Amino acid sequence: MERTGDAKAAEQITDEQLLREVMNTVGRGLRRQSYELNREGLFNVEYADILGIPFDFAADPVVAPVTPPKRSVRVQAMRDRAALEIVFPRVGGYRVDLPQERLTAQFTEDSRLTLTPEIVGPCTVLMEGIVGEGVELNAEDAFRTLRPSTISYHLAKRLLETRLRDPGGDLPVHLFGQAQRVVREWLDGGYLVAKGVPREAVTYLELAEKAVERIYLACQRSAPGEQRIKAILDPYNPRGSTRFVNFTTTKTVYETHPTRCHVNYAVCDSDWEAELARVLESHPRWMTGGTTR
């Protein structure tokens, strides 16, 4: 009646509609006003006064003051400081730099890969249309055409492409024969175990990746001398630059010197980061005029 002004229409309102109306009213009060995290990494406590519900047993309502939004600043590269741009490599990961003359492997129990139906998935699928006779597709029939040399070829190729080639570089084809020899040692040594599934399933992309990872780790173990770690650049975006910095933050910032930093602010998660920025900018190796050596 109060909502529609029509007593007859009010009688037609169902319990479901009343519940939906109540939940919509309560739901507006339960939405947060601020999603900023405090120093403990948590949301600040917020209270809502729910009107129209007789919570007589509840305590007195708590009136929470409205928290003003935090001051935000835009951190960005300044056009008038383009001479201070810094270009840096974008590293996607690291790997051991193996010798390029001869590959050897030292297999252990960790080199073993066990294939089971749970890992491989179904090998037999029944394909049926709306009309006509169904056809049973069996992966084992396709695997019968794969010879052991085909499996070693597939894994050796994967090893070269994903582990031994530098990003953006040419495929080290001179290592293919040695890579295939190492793969055969892994296969012949019984480190590929198939239980209830054909061992040729290792040529599946996901399983081949697991096999190659085990073989590559075995090659790292047998590398002579001190291992040298090599950075792997992001193949799609190998270089980054300070000229792409452009975002808004509510964190504490340190205002940088206009002749010593391409970016206008340094974001500080702690006091020592702000102190580090200050020390770096006041370092005596900075030359007059903002150039560095």
Side-chain angles (χ1 to χ4, degrees):
M1 175 84 177
E2 293 179 358
R3 186 180 63 172
T4 63
D6 187 353
K8 185 176 182 180
E11 295 177 355
Q12 304 299 322
I13 298 177
T14 63
D15 294 340
E16 291 80 5
Q17 291 174 323
L18 287 175
L19 178 61
R20 185 178 298 109
E21 185 71 19
V22 171
M23 294 306 296
N24 287 339
T25 304
V26 174
R28 282 190 295 271
L30 296 182
R31 292 185 175 89
R32 295 192 60 85
Q33 292 184 345
S34 173
Y35 289 89
E36 291 287 343
L37 299 178
N38 56 28
R39 292 186 177 182
E40 289 74 27
L42 304 174
F43 291 130
N44 290 323
V45 177
E46 293 183 356
Y47 298 92
D49 293 333
I50 309 302
L51 304 179
I53 302 178
F55 284 139
D56 297 334
F57 58 87
D60 294 335
V62 178
V63 179
V66 178
T67 304
K70 291 184 178 180
R71 171 180 174 268
S72 63
V73 297
R74 176 162 293 279
V75 181
Q76 60 184 342
M78 307 302 291
R79 292 184 178 180
D80 56 347
R81 309 184 192 180
L84 301 174
E85 177 187 2
I86 298 177
V87 179
F88 52 89
R90 297 178 61 89
V91 179
Y94 299 88
R95 69 174 174 84
V96 175
D97 191 15
L98 297 178
Q100 296 295 309
E101 296 80 17
R102 179 173 177 80
L103 287 179
T104 58
Q106 181 181 344
F107 297 112
T108 64
E109 191 61 28
D110 294 336
S111 305
R112 194 176 307 278
L113 175 61
T114 302
L115 303 181
T116 62
E118 292 77 14
I119 297 177
V120 176
C123 294
T124 303
V125 180
L126 180 61
M127 301 293 291
E128 290 185 325
I130 299 178
V131 296
E133 184 179 359
V135 178
E136 186 178 86
L137 302 179
N138 195 326
E140 294 185 4
D141 296 335
F143 286 148
R144 290 193 184 100
T145 62
L146 294 181
R147 297 177 298 175
S149 59
T150 305
I151 300 176
S152 62
Y153 177 92
H154 180 86
L155 296 180
K157 180 174 178 291
R158 183 76 181 171
L159 179 62
L160 293 184
E161 291 175 341
T162 61
R163 299 300 190 278
L164 302 179
R165 177 170 64 177
D166 293 332
D170 297 330
L171 194 68
V173 293
H174 64 284
L175 293 176
F176 180 79
Q178 299 185 44
Q180 192 170 25
R181 172 183 52 77
V182 170
V183 172
R184 286 175 178 171
E185 293 177 2
W186 182 73
L187 293 171
D188 296 340
Y191 294 99
L192 176 62
V193 181
K195 296 182 178 181
V197 294
R199 71 197 302 261
E200 290 82 1
V202 75
T203 55
Y204 289 164
L205 181 61
E206 182 179 353
L207 300 178
E209 182 64 22
K210 294 182 178 180
V212 165
E213 178 64 18
R214 287 163 170 77
I215 296 172
Y216 179 68
L217 292 177
C219 293
Q220 292 184 13
R221 280 192 291 267
S222 67
E226 183 179 357
Q227 293 184 345
R228 186 175 62 176
I229 304 301
K230 189 173 187 178
I232 305 299
L233 300 182
D234 186 340
Y236 302 103
N237 192 11
R239 295 197 307 171
S241 172
T242 52
R243 72 174 181 269
F244 302 125
V245 176
N246 190 351
F247 62 91
T248 301
T249 184
T250 58
K251 293 184 178 181
T252 303
V253 294
Y254 170 84
E255 187 173 2
T256 60
H257 196 280
T259 63
R260 298 190 175 182
C261 186
H262 191 193
V263 180
N264 58 346
Y265 293 105
V267 181
C268 304
D269 292 317
S270 60
D271 294 337
W272 73 265
E273 290 181 337
E275 179 63 15
L276 177 62
R278 186 193 68 80
V279 171
L280 290 177
E281 289 201 332
S282 60
H283 196 276
R285 291 193 63 181
W286 276 99
M287 308 296 291
T288 304
T291 59
T292 59
R293 294 292 184 268

